[in-house]
């Protein structure tokens, strides 16, 4: 075993747990939001802290980073916009009456979801509330946004005369077990998606295919047609709450409190892989270059071969749950409730995976399907290893 992917940096500036980690679209900066009530801006070039945003009166629940502005929301019921160069607070969005737990920036809109049972839409530049979405019977936990231009045919759009001014729609998931779709311009509820029997924790939207995926505490993932509201499929194999989702090339990855990630082929609903070895809930996941990276309540991040399910590395060093991960330039960033941001070198595993991919394609061209399946089985059996010792290290299981 090697540890070529050891942590290259441990950032300990925060005085409380890190609840979220956001990467700017240009990949130059990272933003962390913390229990200490502050957000910090980090350069991906040197992993140094280049900004400290102070002003919230309670802990930061979530954050979002654009190239020129940062956004944070807090248990103090507000959202703030920050200048990433000067660190100055540019705007404070007030109106929610309880914890704001999620924000989403799309076009010139800022959307927010709160424990006050509402979602709201704000003008990013004018510090002004544009719309309030009221109808959920409990907390709004998760958000998604799309335009009807992306999903409706021209004749279908003409039927929505009332909404011609704006074709934007907001999707909200709530602890009241429902998903709702709203017209942004009027605040009118366009669809209420019924079927879940537990809180809706996560949403993934595939607008080109008119599909929405929702994960819930009822242990299921459900697929919906976002135009008709029809429930298309129910994925039922998890034995715990579905906490996080990732959609890549019609493959849906779901992280659960049952300590596994499952991969589903969306078109058929077939479960094609299960990624095990976690000792606690899977709290976050990210697909990158054929590798599935996960963060868990057991304080470890892991890397799996996405095709075979083989566990290839364990990244150890955090003390508490990993709440969020990001990947940029073959560096893995993990943010934890222990208050640290850790940076891991994953160049070795990425290169090895590329070589394996090429080799597998070459072998498949010369071998029967039966032989390929036999090798895959042997790889799985040979790599079911767990490593218990080591501080700030990535344990290589190859």
């Amino acid at each position: 075993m090697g540890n070529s992917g050891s942590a290259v940096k441990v950032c300990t500036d925060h005085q409380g747990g890190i609840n979220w980690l956001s990467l700017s679209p240009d990949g130059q900066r990272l933003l962390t939001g913390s229990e200490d009530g502050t957000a910090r801006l980090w350069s991906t070039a040197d992993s140094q802290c280049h900004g400290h945003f102070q002003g919230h009166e309670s802990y930061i629940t979530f954050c979002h980073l654009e190239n020129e502005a940062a956004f944070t929301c807090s248990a103090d019921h507000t959202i703030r916009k920050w200048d990433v160069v000067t660190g100055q607070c540019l705007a404070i969005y007030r109106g929610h009456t309880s914890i704001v737990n999620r924000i989403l920036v799309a076009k010139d809109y800022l959307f927010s979801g709160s424990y006050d049972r509402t979602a709201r839409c704000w003008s990013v530049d004018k510090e002004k509330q544009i719309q309030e979405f009221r109808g959920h019977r409990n907390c709004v936990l998760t958000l998604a946004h799309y335009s009807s231009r992306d999903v409706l045919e021209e004749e279908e759009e003409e039927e929505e005369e009332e909404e011609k001014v704006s074709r934007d729609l907001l999707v909200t998931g709530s602890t009241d077990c429902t998903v709702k779709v709203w017209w942004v311009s009027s605040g009118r509820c366009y669809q209420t998606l019924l079927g879940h029997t537990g809180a809706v924790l996560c949403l993934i939207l595939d607008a080109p295919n008119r599909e929405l995926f929702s994960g819930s505490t009822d242990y299921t993932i459900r697929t919906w047609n976002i135009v008709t509201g029809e429930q298309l499929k129910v994925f039922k194999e998890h034995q715990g709450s579905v906490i996080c989702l990732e959609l890549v090339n019609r493959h849906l990855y779901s992280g659960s409190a049952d300590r596994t990630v499952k991969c589903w082929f969306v078109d058929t609903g077939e479960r094609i892989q299960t990624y095990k070895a976690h000792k606690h809930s899977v709290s976050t996941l990210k697909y990158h270059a054929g590798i599935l990276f996960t963060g868990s309540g057991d304080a470890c991040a892991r890397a799996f071969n996405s095709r075979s399910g083989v566990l290839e590395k364990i990244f150890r060093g955090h003390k508490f749950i990993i709440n969020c991960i990001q990947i940029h330039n073959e560096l893995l960033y993990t943010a934890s409730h222990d208050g640290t941001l850790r940076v891991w070198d994953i160049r070795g595993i990425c290169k090895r995976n590329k070589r394996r991919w090429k080799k597998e394609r070459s072998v498949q061209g010369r071998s029967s399907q039966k032989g390929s399946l036999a090798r895959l089985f042997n790889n799985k059996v040979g790599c079911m290893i767990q490593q218990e010792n080591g501080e700030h290290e990535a344990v290589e299981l190859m």
Side-chain angles (χ1 to χ4, degrees):
M1 291 186 186
N3 55 2
S4 59
S6 298
V8 296
K9 178 81 174 180
V10 181
C11 308
T12 60
D13 302 53
H14 278 297
Q15 302 303 306
I18 299 174
N19 288 326
W20 202 255
L21 172 66
S22 179
L23 177 68
S24 62
D26 61 14
Q28 293 185 15
R29 299 181 178 94
L30 289 158
L31 180 69
T32 50
S34 172
E35 291 279 323
D36 66 14
T38 74
R40 288 182 179 268
L41 193 69
W42 311 83
S43 168
T44 55
D46 58 12
S47 300
Q48 296 295 321
C49 181
H50 291 271
H52 188 204
F53 305 147
Q54 303 178 78
H56 279 296
E57 297 176 4
S58 188
Y59 61 90
I60 293 175
T61 56
F62 191 86
C63 60
H64 175 83
L65 184 59
E66 295 289 319
N67 291 335
E68 297 179 356
F71 298 85
T72 55
C73 60
S74 169
D76 68 7
H77 309 177
T78 71
I79 306 145
R80 289 178 179 249
K81 177 183 177 183
W82 312 84
D83 187 303
V84 298
V85 176
T86 66
Q88 177 185 358
C89 181
L90 302 176
I92 304 176
Y93 307 88
R94 303 181 190 274
H96 281 295
T97 58
S98 188
I99 297 169
V100 184
N101 57 72
R102 189 58 55 100
I103 51 176
L104 185 157
V105 178
K107 302 179 181 178
D108 296 325
Y109 297 130
L110 168 65
F111 298 98
S112 56
S114 170
Y115 277 44
D116 66 10
R117 306 182 181 186
T118 72
R120 299 177 192 234
C121 177
W122 316 78
S123 167
V124 168
D125 297 324
K126 296 181 181 179
E127 200 171 346
K128 173 185 175 184
Q129 181 176 307
I130 298 173
Q131 197 56 260
E132 179 178 333
F133 308 94
R134 187 175 289 274
H136 280 297
R137 300 188 308 277
N138 218 320
C139 311
V140 178
L141 296 181
T142 183
L143 306 170
H145 166 271
Y146 68 99
S147 169
S148 64
R149 295 177 188 271
D150 299 330
V151 300
L152 295 178
E153 300 294 339
E154 189 172 335
E155 60 271 17
E156 292 175 307
E157 285 192 302
E158 291 176 358
E159 295 176 4
E160 299 292 342
E161 294 290 336
E162 180 186 345
E163 309 300 339
K164 277 190 174 180
V165 176
S166 172
R167 294 182 172 89
D168 291 285
L169 293 106
L170 176 69
V171 186
T172 55
S174 168
T175 54
D176 68 8
C177 311
T178 71
V179 176
K180 288 181 179 286
V181 184
W182 313 80
W183 286 107
V184 171
S185 60
S186 66
R188 181 171 67 89
C189 183
Y190 171 62
Q191 297 277 6
T192 297
L193 310 182
L194 302 173
H196 281 298
T197 58
V200 179
L201 301 182
C202 47
L203 296 170
I204 287 283
L205 186 65
D206 183 4
N209 289 294
R210 299 181 167 201
E211 290 179 337
L212 176 73
F213 303 88
S214 55
S216 169
T217 59
D218 66 10
Y219 302 0
T220 71
I221 305 151
R222 295 170 192 257
T223 312
W224 314 85
N225 182 303
I226 53 177
V227 176
T228 67
E230 178 189 1
Q231 182 176 283
L232 303 176
K233 294 185 184 72
V234 182
F235 306 91
K236 292 183 174 179
E237 293 192 27
H238 277 298
Q239 302 301 309
S241 298
V242 178
I243 297 169
C244 47
L245 296 170
E246 177 103 327
L247 182 65
V248 182
N249 298 327
R250 303 301 288 168
H251 289 76
L252 181 69
Y253 298 88
S254 54
S256 171
D258 67 9
R259 307 183 181 188
T260 72
V261 175
K262 293 184 184 293
C263 177
W264 315 82
F265 186 47
V266 169
D267 294 339
T268 64
E270 176 190 7
R271 192 266 302 156
I272 56 179
Q273 192 58 258
T274 298
Y275 309 87
K276 301 179 180 179
H278 307 94
K279 298 178 181 178
H280 206 283
S281 302
V282 178
S283 46
T284 182
L285 53 83
K286 186 79 68 174
Y287 176 95
H288 176 74
I291 306 166
L292 182 67
F293 292 89
T294 65
S296 172
D298 63 14
C300 293
R302 290 174 173 82
F304 296 87
N305 182 302
S306 63
R307 294 181 66 198
S308 68
V310 169
L311 174 62
E312 298 190 354
K313 283 186 185 293
I314 303 175
F315 302 86
R316 299 178 184 277
H318 283 296
K319 307 295 185 192
F320 297 111
I321 183 173
I322 296 174
N323 288 321
C324 196
I325 59 179
Q326 293 289 349
I327 297 167
H328 180 67
N329 279 348
E330 298 191 343
L331 290 174
L332 171 67
Y333 299 87
T334 57
S336 167
H337 204 69
D338 65 11
T340 69
L341 171 67
R342 293 175 186 260
V343 188
W344 313 84
D345 186 347
I346 58 172
R347 286 175 298 179
I349 188 174
C350 290
K351 288 178 181 177
R352 194 166 57 248
N353 193 66
K354 289 177 183 177
R355 288 197 302 267
R356 184 186 299 112
W357 173 263
K358 291 179 181 179
K359 183 177 179 181
E360 285 180 358
R361 292 189 64 181
S362 175
V363 169
Q364 286 173 359
R366 300 190 303 267
S367 303
S368 67
Q369 184 180 17
K370 181 177 179 181
S372 297
L373 290 173
R375 280 190 297 275
L376 183 59
F377 176 79
N378 289 335
N379 285 340
K380 286 184 182 179
V381 173
C383 293
M384 294 304 294
I385 302 169
Q386 291 187 357
Q387 171 64 258
E388 295 296 334
N389 59 358
E391 189 76 8
H392 338 302
E393 66 173 352
V395 181
E396 194 169 341
L397 302 182
M398 296 300 293

